[in-house]
Amino acid sequence: MELNKAIENIQETGFLEINIPKNIDLVAEIIKLKKEKNAVILAHYYQEPAIQDIADFVGDSLQLSYKAAEVDSDLIVFAGVHFMAETAKILNPQKKVVLPDLNAGCSLAESCEAKDLQALKDKHPDHLVITYVNTSAEVKAISDLCCTSSNAKKIVDSIPLDQPIIFAPDRNLGAWIQKETGREMLLWDGACVVHEAFSIDKLLNTHQANPNAKIIAHPESEDHILKTAEYIGSTAGLINYAKTNPAKEFIVATEAGILHEMQKEVPNKKLIPAPAVEDNSCACSECPYMKLNNMQKLYLCMKYELPEIQVPQDIQEKALIPIQRMLDISSKK
Ligand code: 13P
Ligand code: SF4
């Protein structure tokens, strides 16, 4: 497709549908564009290895939010999913934030529309609303506080015990936080398609075959998976555990993209991806949204600075409040 047509169609396609010459060295071109445009590439651990390797910073959702809040580059290239890029834009309304493919959504964000959350709030006006960052800017704009999987316990613990809470949208993370804090919360019924796909039977078989391996899991996983885990934490938490724990083998229950950075950190340890119910090509779980980004789309979005993330000013201002509260509480010792 030619450039003008591709730009015209971007709202439909979600990305720039342009053919790239086969002989182009994408790594060299992306590095050149980074310098020319004073751009920073922020990537999540679930991105494909080539993207993680070329990024200026790779992290979990919380680390990426902190990083987005402090960058001084003119262009933020977000290699992750839409809600993450949107959070970067909310924190940097004056900067240009681009995402390789606007279709890179999230099943959790999709499960919770602002109008439905507003309806629940109206039914429970005395409740405080904590939303996981895996939500749209509109949902954040009607939330009191945000959280990520790495600070959810701290955020909930910061609320007075007599204050009722609505926790949205991840029912698995919410149920785990209820156990961790001993607090009852009103849980939204959303879930992550990737973490709900782990098979408990296959996981137990894998453990039987690798009895010395420690199971580690992301809290978006279901309770029966979490019950088997020696450690539960965010993507960054899981990498840190594999690094600092003396065990030599781990079964890792989260999106398989994490294995790239984890293996770099523990080159001599054996990492086994937790198996999913439906066997796919790698018998592990990949996020279909995260994997919409690739090196070609990354190159095009840097070259043409499209597609760009836009957040209406009134939503941006309201959504910033719960995000900033989260960052402030989270950074307290
Ligand atoms: P982390 O905050 O642990 O990186 O999780 C983000 C996410 O989308 C997990 O599925
Ligand atoms: Fe959303 Fe799950 Fe993908 Fe994370 S892994 S972006 S929670 S769908």
Side-chain angles (χ1 to χ4, degrees):
M1 206 183 282
E2 49 131 333
L3 180 61
N4 286 347
K5 191 92 189 135
I7 294 175
E8 218 176 274
N9 287 354
I10 205 161
Q11 286 312 322
E12 278 164 45
T13 54
F15 62 96
L16 281 173
E17 212 173 3
I18 302 172
N19 291 330
I20 301 173
K22 288 236 164 23
N23 56 358
I24 200 166
D25 180 347
L26 286 172
V27 173
E29 289 299 321
I30 290 171
I31 291 171
K32 206 162 96 189
L33 285 167
K34 251 198 319 192
K35 279 204 193 108
E36 268 171 31
K37 294 177 182 256
N38 184 28
V40 64
I41 304 178
L42 306 181
H44 188 264
Y45 290 123
Y46 297 164
Q47 290 294 285
E48 64 174 46
I51 293 183
Q52 292 190 43
D53 289 345
I54 209 162
D56 297 287
F57 181 80
V58 188
D60 71 4
S61 314
L62 183 64
Q63 294 169 329
L64 288 166
S65 301
Y66 277 118
K67 208 72 195 169
E70 70 188 34
V71 291
D72 60 4
S73 310
D74 304 320
L75 179 65
I76 301 176
V77 182
F78 212 105
V81 288
H82 194 276
F83 75 81
M84 295 177 175
E86 212 173 42
T87 302
K89 180 69 183 174
I90 293 164
L91 286 160
N92 296 280
Q94 314 306 348
K95 291 191 177 142
K96 192 180 253 190
V97 179
V98 292
L99 177 69
D101 189 333
L102 292 177
N103 301 309
C106 168
S107 66
L108 280 166
E110 283 165 17
S111 78
C112 185
E113 281 190 36
K115 65 171 176 29
D116 300 325
L117 181 61
Q118 186 59 55
L120 187 67
K121 277 181 64 162
D122 292 345
K123 265 202 219 163
H124 303 277
D126 58 331
H127 281 51
L128 181 131
V129 178
I130 302 179
T131 50
Y132 196 26
V133 284
N134 299 40
T135 48
S136 66
E138 288 74 13
V139 163
K140 291 184 176 81
I142 57 167
S143 302
D144 297 298
L145 265 166
C146 287
C147 72
T148 73
S149 57
S150 63
N151 63 18
K153 183 173 180 300
K154 197 170 182 181
I155 298 291
V156 170
D157 279 340
S158 74
I159 309 301
L161 284 172
D162 58 353
Q163 170 62 58
I165 297 171
I166 292 174
F167 188 91
D170 189 356
R171 61 171 179 252
N172 293 319
L173 174 65
W176 178 63
I177 292 297
Q178 288 196 140
K179 272 194 189 169
E180 289 286 298
T181 60
R183 292 280 285 265
E184 274 292 306
M185 300 189 289
L186 186 50
L187 302 184
W188 192 266
D189 194 17
C192 162
V193 281
V194 180
H195 290 85
E196 285 229 321
F198 292 123
S199 156
I200 185 66
D201 295 339
K202 287 186 182 179
L203 176 64
L204 295 175
N205 288 343
T206 305
H207 196 226
Q208 228 167 28
N210 301 274
N212 296 324
K214 292 203 165 167
I215 300 175
I216 56 177
H218 195 280
E220 288 173 13
S221 310
E222 289 177 286
D223 186 50
H224 57 218
I225 301 286
L226 296 181
K227 277 194 180 123
T228 70
E230 303 236 5
Y231 174 78
I232 298 165
S234 76
T235 49
L238 296 172
I239 292 174
N240 189 47
Y241 189 81
K243 217 167 115 179
T244 51
N245 190 277
K248 294 275 178 273
E249 293 172 32
F250 295 92
I251 301 172
V252 186
T254 192
E255 211 268 2
I258 198 176
L259 298 171
H260 179 62
E261 181 61 26
M262 201 180 262
Q263 196 70 77
K264 276 197 205 166
E265 293 285 351
V266 292
N268 300 320
K269 296 190 181 182
K270 183 178 175 188
L271 304 176
I272 307 158
V277 177
E278 291 292 328
D279 265 345
N280 54 26
S281 56
C282 69
C284 57
S285 289
E286 292 202 327
C287 174
Y289 305 99
M290 285 277 181
K291 296 315 197 252
L292 284 176
N293 295 330
N294 57 35
M295 288 290 276
Q296 286 80 5
K297 289 179 190 169
L298 180 64
Y299 162 70
L300 287 170
C301 101
M302 289 182 75
K303 186 168 165 73
Y304 299 106
E305 302 184 17
L306 284 170
E308 190 183 345
I309 299 290
Q310 309 274 10
V311 181
Q313 195 186 337
D314 59 327
I315 299 288
Q316 182 272 329
E317 284 168 4
K318 287 181 191 153
L320 181 60
I321 298 168
I323 297 173
Q324 196 56 57
R325 279 186 189 139
M326 168 186 83
L327 296 178
D328 292 346
I329 294 171
S330 211
S331 58
K332 273 192 201 140
K333 284 264 157 26

